[in-house]
C-alpha cells in the first residue's frame, strides 16, 4: 500500500501499510539509518525523531499517526540549536559508544528551541527516557548547558 509522508522537507510516497512503525520506514525503505532501533517499546529513546518539532519515538509511531505532519530525522536536523549542540558535544567529549546520540541530540535540540536556557530539572525532564548505555548523563547535561551558553553568545 502507498502512503504519502513528509520526511526531512520532502514529500515521499512509501510502500508500507498505515500501521507500519515509522522507524521501519525510515531505516528499511528510506535508508535513513541515523535513527536507531533500541528497544522497540519507546523506552530507550534511540529512535527519537521530531514530528512537527516534538520529540517522538519512531518505533511505536505508525505511519497513520504521523498523518501530514513533518518528520525530521537526525540527518536533516538544522538550525542554531543543533549546531551549538554538535559543538558542545565535541568540546565536552560526550560520546562513548554513540548508539544513543542521534536520539539524545534530537531531544536536546527540541528542548533548546523551547527553553534556550534550561535548568537541570528542565534538562532532566526533557531527556528522561533517552537512555545512554555508557552512562554519559553528566556530560550530556553539561553539553546542553554549554550549547545554551553558545546560543546566548552574540554572533
Amino acid at each position: 500500500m502507498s502512503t504519502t509522508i513528509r520526511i526531512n522537507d520532502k514529500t515521499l510516497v512509501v510502500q508500507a501499510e498505515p500501521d507500519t512503525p515509522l522507524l521501519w520506514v525510515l531505516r528499511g525503505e528510506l535508508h535513513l539509518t541515523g535513527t536507531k532501533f533500541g528497544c522497540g517499546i519507546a523506552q530507550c529513546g534511540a529512535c527519537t525523531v521530531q514530528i512537527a518539532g516534538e520529540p517522538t519515538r519512531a518505533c511505536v509511531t505508525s505511519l497513520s499517526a504521523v498523518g501530514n505532519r513533518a518528520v525530521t530525522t537526525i540527518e536533516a536536523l538544522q538550525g542554531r540549536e543543533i549546531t551549538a549542540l554538535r559543538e558542545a558535544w565535541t568540546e565536552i567529549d560526550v560520546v562513548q559508544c554513540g548508539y544513543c546520540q542521534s536520539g539524545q541530540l534530537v531531544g536536546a535540540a527540541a528542548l533548546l528551541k523551547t527553553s534556550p536556557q534550561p535548568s537541570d530539572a528542565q534538562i532532566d525532564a526533557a531527556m528522561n527516557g533517552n537512555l545512554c548505555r555508557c552512562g554519559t548523563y553528566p556530560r550530556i547535561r553539561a553539553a546542553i548547558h554549554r550549547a545554551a551558553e553558545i546560543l546566548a553568545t552574540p554572533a
Side-chain angles (χ1 to χ4, degrees), residues 23 27 32-38 44-48 59 98-100 102:
L23 180 62
R27 290 184 61 81
L32 295 170
T33 57
T35 304
K36 303 299 183 199
F37 173 78
C44 74
C47 68
T48 303
C59 70
Y99 201 81
C100 70
S102 61

Side-chain angles (χ1 to χ4, degrees), residues 1-5 14-22 24-25 29 61-66:
M1 169 173 241
S2 296
T3 303
T4 301
I5 189 166
V14 296
Q15 298 303 312
E17 296 295 325
D19 62 347
T20 302
L22 175 60
W24 300 141
V25 173
E29 185 164 339
T61 303
S62 67
L63 285 178
S64 62
V66 173

Side-chain angles (χ1 to χ4, degrees), residues 133-147:
R133 297 172 185 173
C134 303
T136 64
Y137 301 111
R139 292 194 311 235
I140 290 167
R141 183 191 288 163
I144 293 170
H145 281 302
R146 177 65 185 124

Side-chain angles (χ1 to χ4, degrees), residues 2 14 22 41 49 53 61 79 101 114 116 119-120 124 135 140 147:
S2 296
V14 296
L22 175 60
I41 56 172
V49 297
T61 303
Q101 294 308 298
T114 59
S119 66
D120 283 349
D124 292 347
I140 290 167

